[in-house]
Amino acid sequence: MTAAALHIPVLLDAVMAGLAPVPGETHVDGTFGAGGYTRALLGAGVHVFAFDRDPDAIAEGRPIEAESQGALILVPERFSRMREALAERGVEQVDGVTLDIGVSSMQIDRAERGFSFQADGPLDMRMERAGMSAADFVNMADEDEIANVLYQLGDEPRSRRVARAIVAARPITRTGELADIVRKALGHRPHEKKDPATRTFQAIRIHLNAELEELEQGLAAAEHVLRPGGRLAVVSFHSIEDRIVKRFLRERSGATPAGSRHAPDRGDAGPKPSFEAVAKPVRAGEQEVARNPRSRSATLRVARRTGASPWGTYQPQDQGRQG
Ligand SMILES: C[S@@+](CC[C@H](N)C(=O)[O-])C[C@H]1O[C@@H](n2cnc3c(N)ncnc32)[C@H](O)[C@@H]1O
């Protein structure tokens, strides 16, 4: 099966409506995945720089790039580096940026990538196939660190109990093993629809791949590369990610006052709004959720770049919680 057949793009129509691509424009798809958004953008007649940090996603996208006759350039990089990567390719400004945060169905469905608690595989979870693996983390981190990651990034209310069980069961090398340890530690609760391992897997994945930091840096990078009038569309799947996007856009559209560190040298007036909200956040409707259950928790936010200078680095003031 091809990558595109495995992954159904989420909120595609709403994303395209938000990006409003005009033929001849240049857009960034920061999360190429199976190329669902990129294909739609190419179909609308725009040039696309499509980023993905997963070498498999890039390799599987090469045929689309070859067919595109120069309209698509695949960039095997993190989207946090979009400003530098575009500059290296002679591009300073673009008309649209899309981020579809998180993992693709290909990553989840392929047991050998180690993202899934439903299919047994090596405990990996690295999007880039490099750096610390999930096995390294659960086998080497101390109990407190594991508990904090599970609490902060997975909303696991019984993070200490799970961390204790993980440490007691080390070494752990398979996703199936980790899932069983979590299920045993938390017990089977009939009213819980979700597998109790979901939260632990989500937390470890977000931690290992530094996904929240990537999102913050990606938003700030998009602010730099979008031309005045350029559109930003961000789809996220967890409240913790959506909170980052919401706060970024609220702050940069002037809806909430910026912290003083954002504008230490810009005088009392502070920076001018660099984005304006375009529409209310969009959630998937019943039909889409029935067709694609992954869309259930998706939220799309769209904003338009103003002509004001970029504010620069984004450091949310109050995003973490202590476990
Ligand atoms: C949800 S999927 C995107 C699906 C895509 N919109 C589609 O329609 O096929 C997310 C993809 O983004 C990639 N990704 C996640 N974080 C990234 C980052 N910081 N930089 C670049 N790619 C990233 C993942 O490897 C994955 O392939």
Side-chain angles (χ1 to χ4, degrees), residues 11 14 236-237 242 280-286 288-289 295-300:
L11 293 170
S236 62
F237 292 86
D242 184 50
K280 290 209 157 79
V282 180
R283 309 285 311 262
E286 271 175 34
E288 177 164 0
V289 174
S295 66
R296 184 184 306 279
S297 50
T299 304
L300 164 69

Side-chain angles (χ1 to χ4, degrees), residues 7 31-37 52-53 78-79 100 102-103 107 214:
H7 186 96
T31 48
F32 176 74
Y37 295 172
D52 205 298
R53 67 195 287 190
R78 298 179 179 202
F79 57 63
D100 181 11
V103 272
Q107 288 165 331
E214 269 298 302

Side-chain angles (χ1 to χ4, degrees), residues 180-201:
D180 283 343
I181 291 162
V182 178
R183 290 180 193 128
K184 218 183 263 173
L186 296 179
H188 286 285
R189 306 171 127 206
H191 66 275
E192 251 188 351
K193 267 201 235 143
K194 259 193 188 175
D195 187 315
T198 314
R199 298 186 290 271
T200 292
F201 274 67

Side-chain angles (χ1 to χ4, degrees), residues 44-243:
V46 308
H47 290 87
V48 183
F49 287 90
F51 289 67
D52 205 298
R53 67 195 287 190
D54 185 337
D56 290 6
I58 294 290
E60 288 174 33
R62 291 294 181 200
I64 313 177
E65 187 183 41
E67 275 167 31
S68 77
Q69 301 181 323
L72 169 62
I73 309 282
L74 287 171
V75 187
E77 296 236 28
R78 298 179 179 202
F79 57 63
S80 56
R81 280 204 77 247
M82 78 175 81
R83 189 180 174 196
E84 297 80 0
L86 288 172
E88 286 158 15
R89 289 160 179 82
V91 177
E92 298 230 322
Q93 289 210 309
V94 297
D95 304 284
V97 173
T98 326
L99 303 176
D100 181 11
I101 300 305
V103 272
S104 68
S105 303
M106 294 104 70
Q107 288 165 331
I108 291 281
D109 292 346
R110 292 180 185 162
E112 72 272 16
R113 297 300 306 268
F115 287 100
S116 174
F117 53 84
Q118 281 162 337
D120 185 44
L123 194 49
D124 191 320
M125 299 196 207
R126 295 170 300 175
M127 289 184 183
E128 265 149 12
R129 289 183 172 273
M132 183 190 261
S133 70
D136 294 335
F137 175 69
V138 297
N139 291 321
M140 280 155 45
D142 69 32
E143 196 176 308
D144 277 352
E145 185 184 358
I146 297 175
N148 285 339
V149 166
L150 301 190
Y151 185 73
Q152 291 175 2
L153 304 180
D155 283 329
E156 174 51 67
R158 289 181 294 164
S159 55
R160 303 219 163 269
R161 176 193 284 257
V162 177
R164 209 175 310 128
I166 287 174
V167 169
R170 299 203 283 212
I172 307 166
T173 59
R174 310 284 300 175
T175 55
E177 268 179 275
L178 178 61
D180 283 343
I181 291 162
V182 178
R183 290 180 193 128
K184 218 183 263 173
L186 296 179
H188 286 285
R189 306 171 127 206
H191 66 275
E192 251 188 351
K193 267 201 235 143
K194 259 193 188 175
D195 187 315
T198 314
R199 298 186 290 271
T200 292
F201 274 67
Q202 172 194 310
I204 295 176
R205 191 204 85 214
I206 292 178
H207 173 67
L208 280 182
N209 293 289
E211 291 178 42
L212 302 188
E213 294 80 357
E214 269 298 302
L215 177 56
E216 286 155 11
Q217 291 166 23
L219 292 170
E223 182 188 46
H224 273 279
V225 302
L226 279 168
R227 67 155 171 86
R231 284 81 63 200
L232 171 67
V234 187
V235 177
S236 62
F237 292 86
H238 301 297
S239 54
I240 189 166
E241 297 162 346
D242 184 50
R243 209 176 310 141

